[in-house]
């Protein structure tokens, strides 16, 4: 394990490969529903790998999300989201993200990368916050990250629109994505 150069100030920064701990991580989303409220959901099955390098800007992240694991707390809605109307999981069982670069922003970090969803790949930057790094009570090294992004589902070919009588649509186009990742350094 090597510490990052002193020019970057992330206390406890270590070089290596990190895997998300699914017990202490969450990949979630929010979308407007009926134009008056927001529906929240999450994915319960995913694989996230973060590789930190000597040069922090050379670090990377890759994630694969099992779309069948969608959970909004309502089984009938989850089954509809899995259908050809939305995610079409029979044809597109996963969503993936691969970073193409890490950069420092005014108040944190950004991961530029490619999101592939519904057979379409688009550039999607993630705003990233490094929450901390340090040992756990069993001697393993852990790192915490928060990340957010917003996508338009239509950009990924998910273009169902059920109009409402009073105007607007049942499900909004913009989807907010949030990640809370606690990762464990691999030996």
């Amino acid at each position: 394990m090597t510490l990052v150069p002193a020019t970057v100030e992330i206390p406890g920064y270590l070089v290596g490969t990190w895997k998300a701990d699914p017990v202490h991580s969450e990949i979630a989303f929010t979308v407007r529903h009926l134009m008056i409220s927001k529906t929240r959901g999450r994915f319960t099955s995913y694989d996230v790998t973060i590789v930190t390098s000597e040069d922090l800007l050379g670090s990377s992240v890759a994630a694969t999300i099992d779309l069948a694991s969608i959970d909004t707390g309502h089984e009938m809605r989850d089954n509809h989201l899995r259908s050809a109307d939305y995610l079409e999981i029979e044809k597109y069982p996963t969503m993936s993200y691969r970073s193409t670069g890490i950069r420092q922003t005014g108040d944190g970090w950004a991961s530029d990368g490619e999101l592939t969803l519904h057979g379409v790949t688009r550039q999607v930057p993630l705003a990233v916050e490094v929450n901390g790094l340090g040992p756990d009570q069993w001697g393993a090294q852990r790192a915490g990250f928060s990340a957010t992004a917003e996508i338009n589902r239509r950009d990924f070919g998910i273009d169902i629109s059920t109009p409402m009588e009073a105007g607007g649509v049942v499900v909004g186009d913009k989807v907010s994505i949030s990640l809370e990742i606690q990762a464990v350094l691999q030996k």
Side-chain angles (χ1 to χ4, degrees):
M1 293 186 252
T2 309
L3 291 176
V4 75
T7 56
V8 176
E9 295 180 29
I10 298 179
Y13 182 87
L14 297 171
V15 172
T17 300
W18 306 74
K19 297 291 266 182
D21 174 355
V23 174
H24 296 102
S25 299
E26 181 179 66
I27 297 177
F29 64 91
T30 305
V31 64
R32 186 156 305 279
H33 182 248
L34 300 176
M35 308 313 293
I36 60 170
S37 65
K38 293 181 180 179
T39 294
R40 300 179 193 294
R42 63 190 181 112
F43 295 95
T44 60
S45 179
Y46 48 83
D47 179 60
V48 177
T49 302
I50 301 162
V51 177
T52 52
S53 68
E54 281 288 337
D55 174 4
L56 182 103
L57 301 180
S59 298
S60 64
V61 62
T64 302
I65 299 158
D66 176 6
L67 295 176
S69 75
I70 194 166
D71 178 10
T72 65
H74 188 270
E75 185 178 356
M76 191 166 71
R77 177 175 45 219
D78 294 346
N79 288 334
H80 189 206
L81 291 171
R82 291 180 188 108
S83 78
D85 284 346
Y86 290 96
L87 298 174
E88 199 172 357
I89 67 166
E90 295 297 322
K91 188 172 181 181
Y92 307 108
T94 61
M95 170 172 47
S96 63
Y97 181 83
R98 181 185 64 83
S99 66
T100 57
I102 306 292
R103 59 188 161 84
Q104 195 163 11
T105 62
D107 58 345
W109 302 92
S111 171
D112 295 313
E114 299 174 339
L115 178 67
T116 300
L117 171 62
H118 205 248
V120 177
T121 302
R122 297 266 189 251
Q123 291 290 322
V124 174
L126 293 173
V128 178
E129 179 182 351
V130 179
N131 297 324
L133 294 96
D136 64 19
Q137 60 268 43
W138 300 282
Q141 293 293 324
R142 292 187 176 254
F145 304 93
S146 297
T148 58
E150 185 174 271
I151 63 170
N152 186 317
R153 65 182 174 83
R154 292 178 183 277
D155 292 344
F156 293 90
I158 303 170
D159 58 8
I160 184 174
S161 289
T162 306
M164 295 180 1
E165 208 173 291
V169 292
V170 173
V171 177
D173 293 340
K174 292 181 182 176
V175 181
S176 297
I177 300 168
S178 65
L179 299 94
E180 291 297 330
I181 304 296
Q182 187 178 116
V184 181
L185 183 63
Q186 303 299 289
K187 304 247 181 212

